[in-house]
Amino acid sequence: MELRLLEYFLTVVREENISRAAEVLHVTQPTLSRQMKELEDELHTTLFIRGKRLTLTDSGVMLRRRAEEVVSLMNKIDSEFREQEEISGVISVGSGGLKAASVLPELIEHFRERYPLVSFEIITGTADLIKERLEHGLLDFGFLLEPIDIEKFDYLRLPTKEVWGVLLPANHRLSTEKAITRQQLRELPLVVTSRNALRGEIEEWLKYPVSELDIVATFNLIDNVAPLAERGIACVLAVEGAVDMFDPARFAFRPLKPELFMTSVLAWKKLSPYAGAAGKFLEYIKSIHSKHTKV
């Protein structure tokens, strides 16, 4: 299967129409239609539901995900070989809502002073998504909250504390408190993380099972559940870095008492032979980490 054919497929998916896709690709409509049919024949499946606009079958959705990964990876390979002559290209970094990631703008600023032809792709997602993209070579680096299985990665452990607390509506009765105790937490309707490893750490701090809390919902990205907190339906148990950008006129964040914090790492795929821009960036963050013990 040719890479060009996957790129054509993704264009058809994006445009939802063979004619528009053909115009974008500068090929004739019959040619593109024939190539999509040949792709279906090669895979022994139907990729499109044909109508006024094209929609994907389940097989088409699966191919879209794989095609995006393949095209992205091939673009990175092409970029890395071009970078052997000149330090340029794109460095991809993934992170969830972590305090440690707040240093990234400063890193980018100083690195681009040395290598102005380098740009960055910033991906926000869950820890599972970032790990998966690191493993598949679709991300160069990722900020990850511990505890997490990082057997497949090399990493730098970061000194920034990821402090746990409760996201409340700004007018909540506990918003005047400096911190939230175990007993106060037990009395609140809560939204908690869906990551089992993190829930285990929270249970150890609670001294009783998480199941004894009044759990309204679980989440993987806090943006999806912040409206529950704003409307007073439930408070969100989260790390401070995940809520730093929230409007203080609408939300209040109060740390737990006694303090509960975790550490985070900057990880990259183990034994990856980084060259070009990614290699230079890795050298840079290692030097910063060793000199100042913070990234």
Side-chain angles (χ1 to χ4, degrees):
M1 186 183 301
E2 297 181 20
L3 176 64
R4 176 179 56 83
L5 199 55
L6 292 179
E7 293 174 330
Y8 280 12
F9 168 73
L10 291 175
T11 303
V12 173
V13 172
R14 184 178 67 247
E15 298 298 328
E16 299 182 334
N17 182 279
I18 289 286
S19 298
R20 287 199 301 270
E23 290 177 7
V24 170
L25 295 168
H26 304 293
V27 299
T28 65
Q29 179 181 341
T31 297
L32 186 56
S33 295
R34 186 178 66 254
Q35 289 178 327
M36 292 300 98
K37 183 62 171 63
E38 290 173 354
L39 181 59
E40 290 180 318
D41 291 343
E42 182 177 349
L43 296 173
H44 305 290
T45 189
T46 300
L47 299 172
F48 300 102
I49 300 171
R50 290 164 170 83
K52 288 186 177 180
R53 69 182 183 89
L54 295 177
T55 56
L56 292 175
T57 63
D58 289 344
S59 295
V61 170
M62 181 170 65
L63 179 62
R64 183 192 65 193
R65 289 199 300 265
R66 296 308 182 202
E68 287 172 344
E69 292 178 356
V70 169
V71 170
S72 177
L73 188 56
M74 292 303 295
N75 287 340
K76 285 179 67 64
I77 291 172
D78 181 60
S79 174
E80 286 170 357
F81 275 88
R82 287 200 310 270
E83 290 162 9
Q84 290 180 358
E85 299 179 1
E86 184 176 37
I87 302 302
S88 63
V90 179
I91 297 171
S92 53
V93 184
S95 177
L98 298 175
K99 274 283 188 184
S102 63
V103 74
L104 192 55
E106 183 179 354
L107 287 177
I108 291 174
E109 178 185 14
H110 293 163
F111 188 77
R112 277 180 49 83
E113 288 174 359
R114 302 184 188 182
Y115 304 107
L117 298 181
V118 174
S119 61
F120 286 78
E121 177 188 32
I122 312 300
I123 302 295
T124 301
T126 65
D128 289 339
L129 173 66
I130 292 166
K131 280 182 61 181
E132 180 183 354
R133 292 180 72 90
L134 282 171
E135 290 173 11
H136 292 162
L138 302 174
L139 281 177
D140 296 312
F141 304 95
F143 289 89
L144 296 169
L145 179 65
E146 295 186 293
I148 194 165
D149 179 12
I150 49 177
E151 181 180 319
K152 297 179 181 178
F153 309 110
D154 289 321
Y155 61 91
L156 294 173
R157 181 163 285 110
L158 307 173
T160 306
K161 285 184 177 182
E162 305 292 347
V163 177
W164 283 83
V166 182
L167 182 69
L168 311 159
N171 59 356
H172 195 278
R173 60 182 175 82
L174 294 180
S175 64
T176 58
E177 300 283 342
K178 291 185 178 180
I180 306 298
T181 66
R182 293 187 181 96
Q183 183 56 41
Q184 288 170 323
L185 200 66
R186 189 190 283 267
E187 297 168 358
L188 295 173
L190 290 171
V191 180
V192 300
T193 176
S194 57
R195 277 183 60 190
N196 288 331
L198 294 181
R199 292 176 71 160
E201 296 289 322
I202 293 167
E203 267 191 3
E204 189 173 329
W205 177 86
L206 285 170
K207 310 299 185 188
Y208 55 83
V210 170
S211 59
E212 292 185 14
L213 295 172
D214 180 10
I215 298 176
V216 174
T218 61
F219 73 97
N220 55 9
L221 287 175
I222 197 167
D223 287 354
N224 297 330
V225 295
L228 292 175
E230 186 174 16
R231 295 179 63 178
I233 297 170
C235 303
V236 184
L237 190 59
V239 291
E240 186 175 10
V243 305
D244 272 350
M245 301 297 290
F246 286 9
D247 183 357
R250 296 160 56 197
F251 298 97
F253 179 83
R254 297 295 177 263
L256 298 177
K257 180 182 179 180
E259 183 181 54
L260 172 63
F261 71 89
M262 296 175 190
T263 54
S264 55
V265 298
L266 180 63
W268 57 94
K269 194 171 182 180
K270 187 170 286 188
L271 304 179
S272 289
Y274 280 157
K280 291 295 183 183
F281 190 64
L282 182 56
E283 290 176 11
Y284 173 63
I285 58 179
K286 282 183 174 179
S287 68
I288 295 296
H289 188 269
S290 63
K291 287 179 182 178
H292 306 292
T293 65
K294 70 177 181 179
V295 190

